[in-house]
Short mmCIF file of all heavy atoms in Angstrom, two decimals:
data_model
loop_
_atom_site.label_atom_id
_atom_site.label_comp_id
_atom_site.label_asym_id
_atom_site.label_seq_id
_atom_site.Cartn_x
_atom_site.Cartn_y
_atom_site.Cartn_z
N PHE A 1 -9.32 -40.06 65.57
CA PHE A 1 -8.99 -41.37 66.11
C PHE A 1 -9.19 -42.42 65.01
O PHE A 1 -10.01 -42.23 64.10
CB PHE A 1 -9.89 -41.72 67.30
CG PHE A 1 -9.72 -40.84 68.50
CD1 PHE A 1 -10.39 -39.62 68.59
CD2 PHE A 1 -8.89 -41.23 69.55
CE1 PHE A 1 -10.24 -38.81 69.71
CE2 PHE A 1 -8.74 -40.42 70.67
CZ PHE A 1 -9.42 -39.22 70.75
N ASP A 2 -8.46 -43.51 65.14
CA ASP A 2 -8.65 -44.65 64.25
C ASP A 2 -9.89 -45.41 64.69
O ASP A 2 -9.99 -45.83 65.85
CB ASP A 2 -7.42 -45.56 64.29
CG ASP A 2 -7.59 -46.78 63.42
OD1 ASP A 2 -7.35 -46.69 62.22
OD2 ASP A 2 -8.00 -47.83 63.97
N ALA A 3 -10.83 -45.63 63.78
CA ALA A 3 -12.10 -46.25 64.16
C ALA A 3 -11.95 -47.71 64.53
O ALA A 3 -12.78 -48.25 65.26
CB ALA A 3 -13.11 -46.10 63.01
N LYS A 4 -10.91 -48.37 64.04
CA LYS A 4 -10.73 -49.79 64.34
C LYS A 4 -10.02 -49.99 65.68
O LYS A 4 -10.55 -50.63 66.58
CB LYS A 4 -9.94 -50.46 63.22
CG LYS A 4 -9.75 -51.96 63.43
CD LYS A 4 -8.99 -52.59 62.27
CE LYS A 4 -8.81 -54.09 62.47
NZ LYS A 4 -8.08 -54.72 61.34
N ALA A 5 -8.83 -49.41 65.80
CA ALA A 5 -8.03 -49.61 67.02
C ALA A 5 -8.33 -48.58 68.09
O ALA A 5 -7.91 -48.73 69.24
CB ALA A 5 -6.55 -49.57 66.66
N LEU A 6 -9.04 -47.50 67.72
CA LEU A 6 -9.43 -46.42 68.65
C LEU A 6 -8.24 -45.61 69.13
O LEU A 6 -8.34 -44.88 70.13
CB LEU A 6 -10.22 -46.98 69.84
CG LEU A 6 -11.49 -47.76 69.48
CD1 LEU A 6 -12.16 -48.28 70.76
CD2 LEU A 6 -12.46 -46.89 68.70
N GLY A 7 -7.11 -45.71 68.45
CA GLY A 7 -5.95 -44.92 68.83
C GLY A 7 -6.03 -43.50 68.31
O GLY A 7 -6.61 -43.23 67.25
N LYS A 8 -5.44 -42.56 69.06
CA LYS A 8 -5.42 -41.16 68.65
C LYS A 8 -4.44 -40.98 67.49
O LYS A 8 -3.32 -41.49 67.51
CB LYS A 8 -5.01 -40.28 69.83
CG LYS A 8 -4.97 -38.78 69.51
CD LYS A 8 -4.60 -37.97 70.74
CE LYS A 8 -4.49 -36.49 70.42
NZ LYS A 8 -4.15 -35.68 71.62
N LEU A 9 -4.89 -40.24 66.47
CA LEU A 9 -4.05 -40.01 65.29
C LEU A 9 -3.44 -38.62 65.27
O LEU A 9 -2.24 -38.47 65.11
CB LEU A 9 -4.89 -40.22 64.02
CG LEU A 9 -5.50 -41.62 63.85
CD1 LEU A 9 -6.41 -41.65 62.62
CD2 LEU A 9 -4.40 -42.66 63.73
N ARG A 10 -4.28 -37.60 65.46
CA ARG A 10 -3.78 -36.23 65.36
C ARG A 10 -4.84 -35.25 65.81
O ARG A 10 -6.04 -35.53 65.71
CB ARG A 10 -3.38 -35.92 63.90
CG ARG A 10 -2.73 -34.55 63.71
CD ARG A 10 -2.58 -34.20 62.26
NE ARG A 10 -2.08 -32.84 62.11
CZ ARG A 10 -2.08 -32.14 60.98
NH1 ARG A 10 -2.57 -32.68 59.88
NH2 ARG A 10 -1.61 -30.92 60.93
N SER A 11 -4.42 -34.08 66.29
CA SER A 11 -5.33 -32.99 66.59
C SER A 11 -4.98 -31.78 65.74
O SER A 11 -3.81 -31.53 65.45
CB SER A 11 -5.25 -32.59 68.07
OG SER A 11 -5.79 -33.58 68.90
N VAL A 12 -6.02 -31.04 65.33
CA VAL A 12 -5.81 -29.79 64.59
C VAL A 12 -6.58 -28.68 65.30
O VAL A 12 -7.57 -28.93 65.98
CB VAL A 12 -6.27 -29.90 63.13
CG1 VAL A 12 -5.47 -30.95 62.38
CG2 VAL A 12 -7.77 -30.21 63.03
N THR A 13 -6.11 -27.46 65.16
CA THR A 13 -6.73 -26.31 65.82
C THR A 13 -7.83 -25.73 64.95
O THR A 13 -7.68 -25.58 63.73
CB THR A 13 -5.67 -25.23 66.10
OG1 THR A 13 -4.65 -25.78 66.94
CG2 THR A 13 -6.29 -24.03 66.80
N VAL A 14 -8.97 -25.42 65.60
CA VAL A 14 -10.09 -24.79 64.90
C VAL A 14 -10.50 -23.54 65.67
O VAL A 14 -9.74 -23.03 66.48
CB VAL A 14 -11.27 -25.79 64.75
CG1 VAL A 14 -10.89 -26.92 63.81
CG2 VAL A 14 -11.72 -26.34 66.09
N GLY A 15 -11.70 -23.05 65.45
CA GLY A 15 -12.15 -21.83 66.10
C GLY A 15 -12.61 -22.03 67.53
O GLY A 15 -12.56 -23.14 68.08
N ALA A 16 -13.10 -20.95 68.13
CA ALA A 16 -13.52 -20.98 69.53
C ALA A 16 -14.84 -21.72 69.69
O ALA A 16 -15.77 -21.54 68.92
CB ALA A 16 -13.67 -19.55 70.06
N LEU A 17 -14.90 -22.56 70.70
CA LEU A 17 -16.08 -23.34 71.06
C LEU A 17 -16.64 -24.12 69.87
O LEU A 17 -17.75 -23.87 69.41
CB LEU A 17 -17.16 -22.45 71.67
CG LEU A 17 -18.33 -23.20 72.34
CD1 LEU A 17 -17.86 -24.10 73.46
CD2 LEU A 17 -19.37 -22.22 72.84
N PRO A 18 -15.88 -25.10 69.36
CA PRO A 18 -16.43 -25.95 68.31
C PRO A 18 -17.60 -26.76 68.86
O PRO A 18 -17.43 -27.62 69.71
CB PRO A 18 -15.24 -26.86 67.93
CG PRO A 18 -14.36 -26.86 69.15
CD PRO A 18 -14.52 -25.50 69.76
N ASP A 19 -18.79 -26.45 68.36
CA ASP A 19 -20.01 -26.99 68.97
C ASP A 19 -20.50 -28.24 68.25
O ASP A 19 -21.08 -29.12 68.85
CB ASP A 19 -21.11 -25.92 68.94
CG ASP A 19 -22.35 -26.34 69.69
OD1 ASP A 19 -22.22 -26.81 70.83
OD2 ASP A 19 -23.46 -26.20 69.15
N MET A 20 -20.27 -28.33 66.96
CA MET A 20 -20.76 -29.46 66.17
C MET A 20 -19.83 -29.68 65.00
O MET A 20 -19.26 -28.72 64.46
CB MET A 20 -22.18 -29.15 65.68
CG MET A 20 -22.84 -30.26 64.86
SD MET A 20 -22.53 -30.08 63.09
CE MET A 20 -23.40 -31.52 62.47
N LEU A 21 -19.65 -30.94 64.63
CA LEU A 21 -18.85 -31.22 63.44
C LEU A 21 -19.47 -32.35 62.65
O LEU A 21 -20.22 -33.17 63.20
CB LEU A 21 -17.40 -31.51 63.78
CG LEU A 21 -16.94 -32.93 64.14
CD1 LEU A 21 -15.42 -32.96 64.30
CD2 LEU A 21 -17.60 -33.46 65.40
N THR A 22 -19.16 -32.40 61.37
CA THR A 22 -19.71 -33.44 60.50
C THR A 22 -18.77 -33.67 59.32
O THR A 22 -18.10 -32.74 58.86
CB THR A 22 -21.11 -33.04 59.98
OG1 THR A 22 -21.67 -34.12 59.24
CG2 THR A 22 -21.06 -31.81 59.09
N PHE A 23 -18.70 -34.91 58.86
CA PHE A 23 -18.00 -35.21 57.62
C PHE A 23 -18.89 -34.83 56.45
O PHE A 23 -20.12 -34.92 56.53
CB PHE A 23 -17.69 -36.71 57.53
CG PHE A 23 -16.53 -37.16 58.39
CD1 PHE A 23 -16.74 -37.55 59.70
CD2 PHE A 23 -15.25 -37.22 57.87
CE1 PHE A 23 -15.69 -37.99 60.50
CE2 PHE A 23 -14.18 -37.66 58.66
CZ PHE A 23 -14.40 -38.04 59.98
N THR A 24 -18.29 -34.42 55.35
CA THR A 24 -19.05 -34.27 54.11
C THR A 24 -19.41 -35.67 53.62
O THR A 24 -18.76 -36.65 53.98
CB THR A 24 -18.22 -33.54 53.05
OG1 THR A 24 -17.01 -34.27 52.81
CG2 THR A 24 -17.89 -32.13 53.48
N PRO A 25 -20.47 -35.80 52.79
CA PRO A 25 -20.83 -37.13 52.28
C PRO A 25 -19.68 -37.84 51.57
O PRO A 25 -19.58 -39.08 51.62
CB PRO A 25 -21.98 -36.82 51.31
CG PRO A 25 -22.61 -35.59 51.87
CD PRO A 25 -21.46 -34.78 52.41
#
């Protein structure tokens, strides 16, 4: 999502039951 306008940008497929995510520094 766009952090300013909060609009959805895109979805990508990952593995089963994504439990946690983080940006790299």
Side-chain angles (χ1 to χ4, degrees):
F1 296 84
D2 177 84
K4 182 178 180 180
L6 303 179
K8 181 178 177 179
L9 300 174
R10 185 190 174 194
S11 290
V12 298
T13 301
V14 293
L17 191 59
D19 187 48
M20 181 269 179
L21 87 174
T22 185
F23 283 88
T24 58

